[in-house]
């Protein structure tokens, strides 16, 4: 046998990230993708214009310090610039956080099912994944997560709202988790869907990070702000932690187009929020329609709904595929369906009804 290049075992064992699929086109009907929690709206004209103008300067490197963006975000969030770090998507920042905090064999506690970036980033850092099952209501089991912390635990991931199931954690249960976790353990509050949250008892994560030097808040421009294709996210943490995250960033990881698009989006935040409000309204409509059909849909605080189909998940996804609607099945657990264009949402509701009646027959 020929000699082979040695790949580190943790890399060999990495789960591949499976992105949401493009829909399979079908004659006569529009094809829709509700598989990746993307924003169905194209960029605002003023954002598209800023990107087009910046495209004429891409022969130059971007600003490695993200200075203009940091200043704009600091004003919007009312946090010091020293407490901000940027990266190529919040998943990029999560990778940086684990690199900054984990040695091989250290443990990362996260809920499951949850975001598929968690096992990937933990594996890249050669850390050990400790998965804590959700409660029966598809919610994070924060007491069980606190109980899963050992001497090897470096990071606890709190995904709120939880992707793919939808519920958000409450402020008091998060406070209890933080009281139970030792102060040297990092707690990452992943708020990728924050802008869609309407629950009254949701935590104010910016208040939480100010009180806890071991908390990092992760946010993104991908979902509510519709910049998924440009890859930009940010972290908010007290200065020493934010600095460690900035240090583990590859040089120029955030590109020039992403920087200007994010700055322009911050200036247009009110316009963007109108779109978010529309998606939230559609979420309510879709959840109500599905529940009226008899589906046990958990309370979604994000831009997607969860159908707990268990062993039937792939079958339902195949039905949607055949109708030019791509959803995101998780084999053996359920199907995540993003809130998309009105017609896409209508089609989902119709297919869900057809599937149920077919099952009963
Ligand atoms: C989409 C998502 C992210 C990553 O978003 P980026 O595009 O990398 O900024 C992070 N966490 C959760 C829970 C997500 O669903």
């Amino acid at each position: 046998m020929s000699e082979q290049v040695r790949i580190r075992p943790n890399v060999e064992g990495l789960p591949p990230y499976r992105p949401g699929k493009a829909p399979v086109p079908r004659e006569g009907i529009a094809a829709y993708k509700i598989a990746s929690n993307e924003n169905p709206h194209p960029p605002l004209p003023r954002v598209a214009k800023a990107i087009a103008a910046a495209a004429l300067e891409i022969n130059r490197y971007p600003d490695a310090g993200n200075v203009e963006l940091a200043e704009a975000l600091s004003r919007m969030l009312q946090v010091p610039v020293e407490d901000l770090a940027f990266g190529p998507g919040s998943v990029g920042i999560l990778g940086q956080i684990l690199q900054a905090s984990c040695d091989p064999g250290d443990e990362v506690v996260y809920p499951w099912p949850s975001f598929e970036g968690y096992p990937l980033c933990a594996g890249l850092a050669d850390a050990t994944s400790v998965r804590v099952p959700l409660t029966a209501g598809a919610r994070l089991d924060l007491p069980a997560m606190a109980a899963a912390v050992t001497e090897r635990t470096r990071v606890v991931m709190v995904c709120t709202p939880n992707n793919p199931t939808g519920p958000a954690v409450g402020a008091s249960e998060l406070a209890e988790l933080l009281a139970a976790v030792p102060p040297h353990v990092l707690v990452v509050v992943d708020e990728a869907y924050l802008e869609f949250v309407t629950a009254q008892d949701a935590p104010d994560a910016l208040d939480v990070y100010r009180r806890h030097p071991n908390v990092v808040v992760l946010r993104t421009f991908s979902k509510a702000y519709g910049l998924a294709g440009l890859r930009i996210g940010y972290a908010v943490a007290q200065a020493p932690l934010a600095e460690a995250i900035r240090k583990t960033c590859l040089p120029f990881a955030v590109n020039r187009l992403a920087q200007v698009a994010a700055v322009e989006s911050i200036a247009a935040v009110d316009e963007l929020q109108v779109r978010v409000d529309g998606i939230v309204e559609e979420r309510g409509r879709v959840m109500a329609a599905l529940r009226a059909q008899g589906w046990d849909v958990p309370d979604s605080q994000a831009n997607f709904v969860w159908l707990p189909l268990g062993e039937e998940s792939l079958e339902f996804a195949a039905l949607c595929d055949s109708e030019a609607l791509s959803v995101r099945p998780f084999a053996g657990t359920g199907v995540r369906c993003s809130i998309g264009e009105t017609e896409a949402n209508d089609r989902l509701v119709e297919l869900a009804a057809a599937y149920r009646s077919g099952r009963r027959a």
Side-chain angles (χ1 to χ4, degrees):
M1 253 190 31
S2 63
E3 289 279 309
Q4 296 211 335
V5 172
R6 182 182 177 278
I7 303 294
R8 290 166 67 209
N10 63 308
V11 174
E12 290 271 9
L14 278 184
Y17 184 79
R18 292 172 303 135
K21 288 191 305 181
V24 184
R26 215 188 96 181
E27 189 74 38
I29 56 172
Y32 291 107
K33 178 184 177 198
I34 55 169
S36 297
N37 298 343
E38 292 154 338
N39 195 312
H41 299 283
L44 290 172
R46 62 188 283 183
V47 174
K49 210 172 134 199
I51 294 169
L56 301 175
E57 297 175 83
I58 56 170
N59 52 313
R60 303 291 177 190
Y61 281 107
D63 167 19
N66 299 293
V67 172
E68 199 186 338
L69 174 56
E71 283 168 359
L73 191 63
S74 147
R75 277 192 300 274
M76 180 171 93
L77 301 180
Q78 295 291 301
V79 303
V81 286
E82 296 76 27
D83 293 5
L84 295 172
F86 296 88
S90 52
V91 73
I93 302 179
L94 177 60
Q96 293 167 223
I97 291 172
L98 297 188
Q99 277 190 46
S101 56
C102 292
D103 284 316
D106 283 343
E107 293 170 359
V108 180
V109 171
Y110 55 84
W112 201 254
S114 192
F115 181 45
E116 291 192 304
Y118 300 161
L120 185 61
C121 289
L124 276 175
D126 212 352
T128 301
S129 283
V130 177
R131 297 179 174 188
V132 178
L134 302 181
T135 67
R139 302 177 57 86
L140 264 58
D141 190 342
L142 293 181
M145 288 172 63
V149 171
T150 72
E151 274 174 15
R152 293 303 304 265
T153 307
R154 293 287 168 266
V155 179
V156 175
M157 299 293 312
V158 176
C159 188
T160 181
N162 188 49
N163 174 8
T165 56
V169 304
S172 56
E173 53 180 350
L174 180 60
E176 282 161 25
L177 173 90
L178 287 165
V181 166
H184 64 267
V185 172
L186 226 150
V187 176
V188 178
V189 181
D190 183 349
E191 293 196 313
Y193 302 95
L194 168 78
E195 295 83 357
F196 301 100
V197 174
T198 53
Q200 295 299 311
D201 66 341
D204 173 353
L206 295 184
D207 180 57
V208 172
Y209 103 86
R210 285 189 186 99
R211 295 167 191 273
H212 296 275
N214 61 328
V215 165
V216 180
V217 181
L218 275 189
R219 294 187 182 168
T220 180
F221 285 90
S222 295
K223 310 280 166 56
Y225 294 170
L227 300 182
L230 281 176
R231 314 302 307 125
I232 175 152
Y234 64 93
V236 191
Q238 291 186 22
L241 202 46
E243 191 189 357
I245 300 171
R246 288 193 297 268
K247 276 187 184 166
T248 46
C249 191
L250 293 176
F252 308 115
V254 178
N255 72 75
R256 184 178 276 275
L257 305 187
Q259 287 170 342
V260 300
V263 168
E264 196 64 28
S265 298
I266 289 169
V269 72
D270 293 341
E271 262 176 278
L272 289 165
Q273 190 59 42
V274 172
R275 291 174 160 195
V276 167
D277 294 344
I279 293 167
V280 167
E281 203 177 310
E282 276 289 279
R283 172 183 83 199
R285 180 178 78 86
V286 170
M287 272 202 303
L290 294 171
R291 284 174 173 168
Q293 293 171 13
W295 294 92
D296 182 18
V297 183
D299 174 37
S300 174
Q301 291 291 313
N303 65 341
F304 52 82
V305 294
W306 176 248
L307 298 176
L309 273 154
E311 296 306 323
E312 293 171 65
S313 301
L314 297 181
E315 189 185 333
F316 179 73
L319 170 70
C320 293
D321 270 341
S322 72
E323 297 289 333
L325 186 69
S326 84
V327 296
R328 182 68 160 81
F330 293 73
T333 31
V335 179
R336 190 191 68 201
C337 310
S338 314
I339 300 299
E341 298 82 352
T342 307
E343 189 183 341
N345 304 334
D346 287 344
R347 194 176 301 166
L348 171 68
V349 169
E350 281 163 29
L351 289 171
Y355 187 82
R356 277 194 88 84
S357 56
R359 223 170 25 173
R360 251 184 260 116

